[in-house]
DNA sequence: TACCAGGTCCTCG
DNA sequence: CGAGGACATGGT
């Protein structure tokens, strides 16, 4: 079992190479990652990039500026990411937060769920927490692990991998790459998939 | 046209 | 707890 997780990782790394995540453009990487983590909720990264670029151009990747801008103006700037009113509120809620950054505290913020909290911990604060997302769930279900919820899947990784920030970042990024381009929801490219000899799932 | 995208909250049983 | 709906724009 432990071996399988590493085998999947090594195979993906061989095929895709290092992913250099999380992509950012500003100096304030930490804030930018947090904003990105909120904006990408159920939304393609491409749209998030557009919105982040817009914020960056206006000097808004800055806590003070973000606090000053009215919520509805912020909402308009991030419209292309969908759920834009909710997301504007989520960003504002995060900015109000003054406690120590722990998983429990992050989860107490309105709009920050498990995946967003873990993304923030791993990518913005370099804490060794495995991020589970829709791709992870789909890929491992097809690999033959059955339907697993967030906590079960995260535990699987925590229990069976060496605990390391670098490994967790890279693994998650590689799963995203696989999920986007091969292990797609609709038309998975099983014939060309790097995991085809490991995976049970097949499409006609 | 319908479905999908690096989720989360709320309500109901 | 888990299921189901709401949130919403843009790409294919």
């Amino acid at each position: 079992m432990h071996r399988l997780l590493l085998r999947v990782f090594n195979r993906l790394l061989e095929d895709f190479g290092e992913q250099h995540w999380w992509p950012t453009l500003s100096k304030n990487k930490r804030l930018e990652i947090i904003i990105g983590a909120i904006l990408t909720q159920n939304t393609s990264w491409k749209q998030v990039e557009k919105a982040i670029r817009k914020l960056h151009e206006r000097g808004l990747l800055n806590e003070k500026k973000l606090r000053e801008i009215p919520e509805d103006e912020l909402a308009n700037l991030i419209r292309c990411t969908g759920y834009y009113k909710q997301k504007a509120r989520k960003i504002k809620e995060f900015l109000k937060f003054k406690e120590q950054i722990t998983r429990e505290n992050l989860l107490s913020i309105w709009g920050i769920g498990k995946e967003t909290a873990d993304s923030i911990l791993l990518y913005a604060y370099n804490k060794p927490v495995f991020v589970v997302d829709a791709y992870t769930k789909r890929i491992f279900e097809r690999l033959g692990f059955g339907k697993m919820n967030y906590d079960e899947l995260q535990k699987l990784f925590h229990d069976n991998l060496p605990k390391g920030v670098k490994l967790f970042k890279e693994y998650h990024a590689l799963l995203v790459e696989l999920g986007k381009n091969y292990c797609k929801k609709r038309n998975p490219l099983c014939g060309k998939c790097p995991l085809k000899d490991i995976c049970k799932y097949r499409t006609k």
Side-chain angles (χ1 to χ4, degrees), chain A residues 3-20 130 133 135-136 138-140 143 157 161 167-184 189-190 192-199:
Chain A
R3 275 299 156 197
L4 181 53
L5 290 193
L6 279 176
R7 188 160 167 232
V8 166
F9 174 76
N10 287 323
R11 179 64 56 82
L12 293 176
L13 186 59
E14 272 173 38
D15 267 63
F16 298 151
E18 290 204 28
Q19 298 297 301
H20 311 297
F130 201 91
D133 59 16
Y135 293 134
T136 316
R138 183 166 71 233
I139 291 165
F140 280 82
L143 278 172
F157 284 90
L161 285 177
L167 174 64
F168 286 2
K169 285 184 179 179
E170 197 59 40
Y171 207 147
H172 175 231
L174 288 165
L175 290 175
V176 171
E177 194 61 18
L178 183 75
K180 265 200 253 201
N181 302 311
Y182 296 89
C183 198
K184 301 190 286 184
L189 306 179
C190 296
K192 298 178 186 170
C193 180
L195 303 182
K196 63 172 180 291
D197 56 330
I198 298 175
C199 185

Side-chain angles (χ1 to χ4, degrees), chain A residues 8-113:
Chain A
V8 166
F9 174 76
N10 287 323
R11 179 64 56 82
L12 293 176
L13 186 59
E14 272 173 38
D15 267 63
F16 298 151
E18 290 204 28
Q19 298 297 301
H20 311 297
W21 262 31
W22 188 290
T24 51
L25 14 129
S26 72
K27 287 293 166 220
N28 196 343
K29 283 176 167 270
R30 180 165 282 175
L31 180 64
E32 185 177 338
I33 289 168
I34 292 165
I35 303 294
I38 291 171
L39 293 184
T40 199
Q41 291 175 359
N42 204 40
T43 300
S44 66
W45 184 254
K46 194 157 205 164
Q47 300 307 128
V48 177
E49 282 183 317
K50 279 190 215 164
I52 294 267
R53 212 162 23 242
K54 223 183 280 189
L55 295 176
H56 184 233
E57 282 164 9
R58 289 162 206 247
L60 283 165
L61 293 177
N62 166 294
E63 294 207 21
K64 184 168 183 297
K65 287 288 178 57
L66 273 180
R67 275 184 230 283
E68 286 168 2
I69 188 173
E71 193 168 311
D72 59 330
E73 270 183 50
L74 176 58
N76 272 323
L77 291 171
I78 60 174
R79 180 182 289 268
C80 64
T81 65
Y83 310 143
Y84 60 98
K85 291 177 190 167
Q86 282 198 350
K87 285 174 179 174
R89 180 179 163 205
K90 290 175 182 182
I91 290 170
K92 289 291 191 181
E93 292 289 337
F94 179 83
L95 291 169
K96 285 184 203 160
F97 178 74
K98 294 295 184 200
E99 311 303 313
Q100 206 192 346
I101 300 288
T102 63
R103 189 171 198 263
E104 192 185 2
N105 284 342
L106 285 172
L107 289 174
S108 73
I109 303 172
W110 186 88
I112 309 285

